Amino acid sequence: MKYYDKLIFELSKPGRTGYSLPEVPGQARNNDVSSFQPKSRNPILWRESPLDLPEVSEVDVVRHYTNLSQMNFGVDTGFYPLGSCTMKYNPKINEEIAGMPAFTGLHPLQPTSTVKGALEVYAGMDKALAAITGMKHFTFLPCAGAHGELTGLMLMREYHMSRGDMARTKVIVPDSAHGTNPASAAVCGLDIVVVKSKEDGLVDVEALRPLLGPDVAGIMLTNPNTLGLFERDIKEIAALVHACGGLLYYDGANMNPLLGVVRPGDMGFDIMHLNLHKTFSTPHGGGGPGSGPVGVADKVVPFLHIPHVSGFHGNFGIILRAYAYILMLGREHIKMAGKLATLGANYIKESLKDCYKLPIPTVCKHEFVFDGLLEPNGVSTLDVAKRLLDYGFHAPTIYFPLLFHQAIMIEPTETESLETLDAFIAVMRKIAEEAATDPEMLHAAPHNTPIGRPDETTAARQPVLKYE
Ligand SMILES: *Cc1c(COP(=O)(O)O)cnc(C)c1O
């Protein structure tokens, strides 16, 4: 353990400070509450003993926070091929625009007549997203993709109920779906029906047919699906679902490769969300922040909730970053984003398929899935993921989708250079070699990170965040 890996409390020395103030008679000095005599004491709020703050010098504080920042991994520190999450670089111009005082200075309770500029940004986003997706209008109420799914399903239900069509309680979800899809349907009070995928990873249209009927509210699909494969039968699927009276919901988390190329509206989708924090480059991770605007086709527009912006202007900083990204690329260049991401994913896939097991060998879109090492020698996907950290790369998504037991889901975004992709490929090959020669070392990886292998459930559910 390095000296500065210590907690700041462990560096504390009584009486040491990072500041010096002149003494003011009758006022508390440093941390000493005993000399402080307020006019009245609220017994509930009054502290009985001084606050237990670490007592350290300025340089210790600076080193503490600087070192902490370096224990983190982000898109700004390295390649982050986390499948399904589209960890896209957030261009710095986005930050400058989101940080403009005219935007950051807005007060949540300002009269509407004084925030016309912000509303114009929302109107511009509505237009841009409608053009990109082929939807009619968007609501900016939802603050994440899953939040958008729930909003979209509620719109779907309202649509059916407004027509007196009360029996539509089922939502069809493919077995490859992201977990939030069935979860949102369940929260919305709908019953989930799973449709199987075929050997080639696409929805089985023949298995779908018998599931359709007057009790189906709709189907939720992401296209390309979670294996990174384009659902080629989407036109037929849309026709079948519409013929039975259902609607199509598009999970837009995988919109990245389709930007400027294909539109969900043209595929037949009626309701969709976008993850602005994925496809439109605004930073995300660690649970937030996000924005999951929901777009709808003509026939669902009457059910959009008013206003279209959530309380206190919504997650406005995210909207601004996404808007800057869209305007910067424009109609002409936005289609390069998806094409480059797709090229990068196929390049990695083809360069590694002699070392890693590729269950579905077709051309992928922006991401693809390996099923562990071709010759594992006892080395698991978790071992590979942990070892990648030693080499300075973030791990891909692992053990998702659930269709394979050792899934490694790799998504390089369009902002990565050929050199970065080559470096990643070289390291993945190196790890495959290590698996053959020294599997024990891989079981114990990572070897160079501040934390090795915590119990992930305990770390997520019962994190220890305070110093006792
Ligand atoms: C990320 C993701 C979601 C959920 O979006 P959040 O913004 O994380 O709530 C849904 N579906 C897919 C395919 C995703 O990748």
Side-chain angles (χ1 to χ4, degrees), residues 84-85 144-147 149 178 180-181 222 226 251 253-254 273 275 277-278:
S84 210
C85 293
H147 194 185
E149 290 169 24
H178 192 263
T180 51
N181 291 187
T222 180
T226 56
D251 174 343
N254 290 342
H273 78 258
N275 306 60
H277 45 289
K278 295 181 181 173

Side-chain angles (χ1 to χ4, degrees), residues 149-155 157 171 182-191:
E149 290 169 24
L150 179 61
T151 308
L153 289 168
M154 290 167 87
L155 288 169
R157 208 175 47 182
V171 167
S184 301
V187 171
C188 195
L190 295 160
D191 299 324

Side-chain angles (χ1 to χ4, degrees), residues 126 129-131 133-140 142 148 151-156 159 247-250 264-265 268-274 292-305 308:
D126 187 22
L129 297 184
T133 59
M135 293 286 137
K136 187 76 183 174
H137 276 302
F138 274 81
T139 167
F140 294 89
T151 308
L153 289 168
M154 290 167 87
L155 288 169
M156 187 185 279
Y159 168 84
L247 295 183
L248 281 90
Y249 184 90
Y250 182 79
F269 286 95
D270 306 292
I271 309 173
M272 66 173 292
H273 78 258
L274 286 167
V294 167
V296 296
D298 259 332
K299 62 183 170 208
V300 189
V301 170
F303 307 98
L304 275 188
H305 309 91
H308 293 178

Side-chain angles (χ1 to χ4, degrees), residues 292-329:
V294 167
V296 296
D298 259 332
K299 62 183 170 208
V300 189
V301 170
F303 307 98
L304 275 188
H305 309 91
I306 307 283
H308 293 178
V309 179
S310 45
F312 301 141
H313 311 316
N315 268 349
F316 189 44
I318 302 279
I319 309 281
L320 282 168
R321 289 176 179 91
Y323 196 40
Y325 177 76
I326 292 171
L327 293 182
M328 183 176 68
L329 291 177

Side-chain angles (χ1 to χ4, degrees), residues 24 34 56 67-68 79 88 98 109 119 126 132 135 151 166 171 176 178 184 187 257 264 274 282 295 299 398 407 466:
V24 180
S34 58
V56 287
N67 283 309
L68 267 190
F79 183 46
K88 191 179 279 198
L109 296 176
L119 294 179
D126 187 22
I132 290 169
M135 293 286 137
T151 308
M166 312 303 251
V171 167
S176 63
H178 192 263
S184 301
V187 171
L274 286 167
T282 63
K299 62 183 170 208
I398 56 172
K466 73 179 186 196

Side-chain angles (χ1 to χ4, degrees), residues 156 171-173 195 208 216-221 237 241 247-249:
M156 187 185 279
V171 167
I172 300 173
V173 178
V195 60
L208 175 64
V216 168
I219 188 167
M220 296 179 88
L221 289 176
I237 293 172
V241 174
L247 295 183
L248 281 90
Y249 184 90

